[in-house]
Amino acid sequence: EECFHAKDEL
Amino acid sequence: MNIFRLAGDMTHLMSVLVLLLKIHTIKSCAGKSYPCSLCFILLESSSGISLKTQELYALVFATRYLDIFTDFISVYNTIMKLIFLGSSFSIVWYIRRHKIVRRSYDKDQDTFRHFFLVLPCLLLALIINEKFTFKEVLWTFSLYLEAVAILPQLILLQRTRNIDNLTGQYVFLLGAYRALYILNWIYRYFTEPHYVHWITWISGLVQTLLYADFFYYYFSSLKNNVKLKLPA
């Protein structure tokens, strides 16, 4: 979840 | 998604559109048998666009969006990634290959050896990263590279006598987008638990600080209503 969170920006 | 990040993405999109508009203007000039005075100026003077910066940005997006087909986040996210990838590579193609656009590119002035930016960023990404995996190291590399990718463009602007306002607006929008992203990171830090990404934050801060002097000259040229000029 944490990793997913980090890469939600462009 | 928060308003700062949406504003940042839209500003970034605007900067790409301004650049595509500029290239389209140069292209459309060539079609005329007797180029109009504006076209003559556009075709004769250098476009003021640094191919080196455009190539660095294409590399930034290529290494940043490796997960575009593996991790689906949202339609918006995927579409924006495709726009940034498509536009950055097509701008590089235009300046390199298009028979008219490349004439307006002044390669004698755009001499910054961007290899000297790529290698240190890669080495730094290998040393300082959140996780030592292929994707994570390249993602971190793209953050470091984006922070310094504007340098060839800023140096070219110092060498360019008259900066035409589309190029000035392009650089301004490109700097403003990352400044808005900093507001987005502050907002997310205070509203989302364990949202801490030092690497992203420091890279983004360095990137925005590199524009500091440009912003100063850009705003003072607006205020005094004079042509934008960077001191050599």
Side-chain angles (χ1 to χ4, degrees), chain B residues 93-228:
Chain B
W93 181 85
Y94 268 122
I95 299 178
R96 275 184 169 278
R97 291 275 183 275
H98 192 278
K99 58 187 182 307
I100 303 298
V101 177
R102 73 179 180 192
R103 269 179 43 195
S104 70
Y105 169 58
D106 189 350
K107 61 177 174 302
D108 306 333
Q109 293 275 26
D110 190 20
T111 55
F112 195 102
R113 304 165 70 80
H114 47 359
F115 184 73
F116 290 154
L117 293 175
V118 172
L119 206 60
C121 289
L122 190 56
L123 294 177
L124 194 62
L126 286 166
I127 299 164
I128 305 175
N129 52 61
E130 283 180 9
K131 210 169 41 192
F132 194 76
T133 64
F134 176 74
K135 274 172 62 173
E136 188 66 31
V137 167
L138 282 188
W139 184 79
T140 312
F141 163 71
S142 80
L143 281 174
Y144 296 151
L145 189 62
E146 187 187 0
V148 294
I150 198 61
L151 284 173
Q153 179 64 65
L154 290 177
I155 287 165
L156 181 63
L157 286 187
Q158 283 177 343
R159 296 176 180 169
T160 308
R161 281 181 314 287
N162 57 338
I163 302 169
D164 73 82
N165 45 21
L166 273 180
T167 308
Q169 277 152 10
Y170 162 68
V171 176
F172 170 73
L173 290 165
L174 206 48
Y177 117 81
R178 212 60 179 167
L180 288 165
Y181 252 74
I182 291 175
L183 299 180
N184 152 64
W185 292 324
I186 294 170
Y187 177 85
R188 292 188 76 174
Y189 175 76
F190 287 111
T191 56
E192 294 172 30
H194 66 254
Y195 180 81
V196 177
H197 296 286
W198 289 110
I199 292 177
T200 311
W201 297 348
I202 292 171
S203 312
L205 190 61
V206 166
Q207 178 172 340
T208 306
L209 291 177
L210 285 178
Y211 286 82
D213 70 330
F214 174 83
F215 283 146
Y216 170 75
Y217 291 109
Y218 185 80
F219 285 120
S220 44
S221 81
L222 283 188
K223 189 160 58 74
N224 312 327
N225 198 13
V226 294
K227 199 84 178 125
L228 174 61

Side-chain angles (χ1 to χ4, degrees), chain A, chain B residues 5 73 136 184-185 188 192 194-195 197:
Chain A
E1 178 54 25
E2 164 59 23
C3 164
F4 173 83
H5 224 47
K7 300 289 185 298
D8 64 350
E9 292 179 351
L10 288 172
Chain B
R5 195 167 124 215
I73 290 158
E136 188 66 31
N184 152 64
W185 292 324
R188 292 188 76 174
E192 294 172 30
H194 66 254
Y195 180 81
H197 296 286

Side-chain angles (χ1 to χ4, degrees), chain B residues 21-111:
Chain B
L21 170 67
K22 183 171 171 61
I23 287 177
H24 173 73
T25 314
I26 295 173
K27 271 173 58 187
S28 63
C29 277
K32 294 184 172 59
S33 48
Y34 299 103
C36 59
S37 57
L38 169 73
C39 296
F40 186 77
I41 294 166
L42 268 178
L43 286 178
E44 289 316 303
S45 69
S46 81
S47 66
I49 300 171
S50 163
L51 173 62
K52 305 293 173 78
T53 287
Q54 299 311 316
E55 289 170 341
L56 289 174
Y57 257 100
L59 185 56
V60 165
F61 293 134
T63 50
R64 175 96 45 99
Y65 301 152
L66 292 171
D67 60 353
I68 186 169
F69 298 117
T70 54
D71 304 347
F72 176 77
I73 290 158
S74 71
V75 173
Y76 168 82
N77 189 275
T78 304
I79 290 177
M80 292 299 279
K81 285 177 177 177
L82 290 172
I83 290 174
F84 288 141
L85 279 167
S87 58
S88 61
F89 279 93
S90 53
I91 286 167
V92 168
W93 181 85
Y94 268 122
I95 299 178
R96 275 184 169 278
R97 291 275 183 275
H98 192 278
K99 58 187 182 307
I100 303 298
V101 177
R102 73 179 180 192
R103 269 179 43 195
S104 70
Y105 169 58
D106 189 350
K107 61 177 174 302
D108 306 333
Q109 293 275 26
D110 190 20
T111 55

